Amino acid sequence: AAMFRSLDAYAKLPGKTLLLIAREMARLESHKGLVAGVLAEIVQRPDELAEFLAIYWKDTPDQRKREKLSAQVKKGLARAFAKFDAYQLAKWNRDGNAVALRDVLFLVHAKPKDDGQAAVWKQLADGTLDAPDTWEVALSAGADKKATFERLLAENKLGAMALLANLRGMLAAGVDLALIRAGLARMKTERIFPYRFITAARHAPSLEPELEAAMFRSLDAYAKLPGKTLLLIDVSGSMGARMAGKSQATRLEAACGLAVLAREMCESVEMYTFSNTTVQVPKRRGFALRDAIVNSQPHGGTMLGAAVETMNCMRADRLIVFTDEQAHDPVPAPKAVGYMINVASYERGVASGDWRRINGFSEAVMRYVAECDAAA
């Protein structure tokens, strides 16, 4: 409930997390009256309309036994549906959606704002929407890569994630640097987390100044963590592994992204890395902090227990550890409030005890830390 005290809380949570929370709100008498307003606000892409319904019916795959949509859910999804234009609907009207967008339209009885929107919705219902003007569509049709990206950048039709994911390809194709820099300067960063910029910078080091400026914009809305925080970052050899099979990001890049975020959130902070030894890191920001973390010491073993023992000799309000938890020695209980954030675990969840363990990578964990502090 604390996450929804203001609309500002929405911006920095991943879309699916918000949809899951909205689904749980719809079950509770104390919260269901808020669902329409929440859904209308948090749905930012057309595919999230379908994804919410997939979540809503996750426990009842048999269509004949599915729970009926509540009035609040219908109202919220209908309001959200009206936010999208023909381009957005066409872009996200995919066969892979758990629920077809045309089915969402029929289920929630959305009402168009005007005749133009009514015509677009009829095309959606009839399956006659024009193919979206995206880089995927253009390149699959054989268009020139350089010309395609330059046109989409000039027309501001390249989304933030598409821009970051294609930087290496655009540079290799000789796309005009001025257009790329302008795209980075105006890109919407609300739902882009720091490790995305760090991974993009690995492939496009010449654009680090622009990427760093965009990354700092993405951090603006985070609340501060009061008091003193100790950050402990794993730089052992196993942190060089990929986050997932097809992911471009490594565990270390994810940890650096969290450290960059935590550096901006913490009122007072000291940062350390650990591998075979524990080393203090200078209080830099952005990519300079990433470099300080990566270059702080050789990437060898994982002496997590010894590192925690070192932290326990210091006074602090909280200790936050970013690791893949492949420890080579016993890990003691923390003296301060301890958060063990495992950036590599396939097991998603939160557990209490000596450590507040958070398994499964998400940069929303820093908001969780802030909420835990606020509730204490």
Side-chain angles (χ1 to χ4, degrees):
M3 291 184 183
F4 289 98
R5 289 183 188 130
S6 74
L7 297 184
D8 290 340
Y10 297 146
K12 294 298 176 182
L13 287 171
K16 190 165 185 177
T17 301
L18 294 169
L19 298 177
L20 286 164
I21 293 171
R23 173 61 183 111
E24 294 309 309
M25 290 174 67
R27 301 181 197 271
L28 303 173
E29 287 295 331
S30 57
H31 287 69
K32 61 173 54 176
L34 304 171
V35 169
V38 167
L39 280 174
E41 186 67 32
I42 66 175
V43 172
Q44 298 296 317
R45 295 188 330 214
D47 64 315
E48 291 177 343
L49 296 161
E51 188 167 10
F52 177 79
L53 290 183
I55 292 169
Y56 196 88
W57 288 320
K58 182 176 181 295
D59 299 328
T60 52
D62 187 341
Q63 294 188 23
R64 296 168 298 179
K65 298 179 181 179
R66 282 178 176 173
E67 177 185 349
K68 289 184 178 180
L69 299 181
S70 70
Q72 282 284 310
V73 166
K74 286 183 178 180
K75 196 179 298 184
L77 293 179
R79 286 186 206 163
F81 211 107
K83 295 195 293 188
F84 304 119
D85 58 24
Y87 170 81
Q88 293 167 309
L89 290 172
K91 179 179 179 180
W92 296 104
N93 186 33
R94 298 174 176 174
D95 293 337
N97 288 342
V99 180
L101 286 182
R102 67 188 299 276
D103 293 336
V104 179
L105 179 63
F106 297 148
L107 284 165
V108 304
H109 306 297
K111 295 182 179 178
K113 292 181 289 189
D114 51 39
D115 291 343
Q117 190 168 70
V120 168
W121 288 3
K122 186 176 187 308
Q123 290 177 332
L124 174 65
D126 295 341
T128 58
L129 269 180
D130 292 334
D133 185 13
T134 65
W135 66 273
E136 299 102 323
V137 171
L139 295 186
S140 64
D144 178 76
K145 181 180 286 189
K146 179 177 183 292
T148 295
F149 280 118
E150 287 186 342
R151 179 179 62 79
L152 292 174
L153 284 167
E155 296 173 1
N156 196 21
K157 288 184 177 179
L158 202 60
M161 284 301 299
L163 177 52
L164 293 179
N166 285 289
L167 277 181
R168 178 168 57 176
M170 286 191 281
L171 292 175
V175 172
D176 186 343
L177 279 175
L179 285 173
I180 297 176
R181 290 190 173 108
L184 290 170
R186 65 171 176 260
M187 70 184 285
K188 295 181 179 179
T189 61
E190 290 85 355
R191 289 194 176 187
I192 311 297
F193 293 124
Y195 85 95
R196 300 282 189 185
F197 297 101
I198 289 171
T199 302
R202 171 157 53 89
H203 297 305
S206 63
L207 293 169
E208 277 202 359
E210 292 80 11
L211 286 165
E212 185 173 60
M215 180 172 67
F216 281 132
R217 292 201 308 275
S218 77
L219 303 176
D220 285 344
Y222 283 93
K224 292 290 184 185
L225 282 171
K228 182 177 178 180
T229 303
L230 297 175
L231 296 182
L232 188 56
I233 303 132
D234 188 346
V235 295
S236 62
S238 60
M239 291 290 283
R242 301 282 179 184
M243 289 282 292
K246 294 183 179 180
S247 173
Q248 293 185 2
T250 66
R251 296 172 184 176
L252 184 54
E253 285 173 341
C256 286
L258 286 170
V260 167
L261 171 55
R263 168 69 177 84
E264 301 305 307
M265 288 181 65
C266 296
E267 184 178 74
S268 173
V269 62
E270 288 186 13
M271 293 172 284
Y272 297 81
T273 65
F274 70 93
S275 181
N276 291 329
T277 59
T278 304
V279 176
Q280 187 167 13
V281 176
K283 294 181 183 179
R284 295 175 183 164
R285 302 177 66 222
F287 290 147
L289 175 56
R290 171 209 58 189
D291 294 341
I293 290 169
V294 171
N295 299 322
S296 60
Q297 61 175 299
H299 300 192
T302 313
M303 303 305 292
L304 174 55
V308 172
E309 290 282 11
T310 301
M311 298 300 102
N312 281 345
C313 296
M314 306 176 194
R315 288 184 174 275
D317 295 288
R318 69 190 66 81
L319 167 62
I320 303 175
V321 184
F322 303 128
T323 179
D324 61 4
E325 244 181 317
Q326 297 186 21
H328 294 166
D329 56 349
V331 180
K335 291 290 178 63
V337 177
Y339 297 88
M340 185 71 69
I341 300 173
N342 190 325
V343 299
S345 177
Y346 295 104
E347 193 77 23
R348 286 174 168 74
V350 177
S352 297
D354 292 335
W355 290 92
R356 292 176 175 172
R357 291 185 180 278
I358 305 173
N359 297 322
F361 174 72
S362 166
E363 294 188 40
V365 297
M366 290 308 301
R367 188 173 295 280
Y368 173 79
V369 170
E371 292 296 340
C372 285
D373 270 30

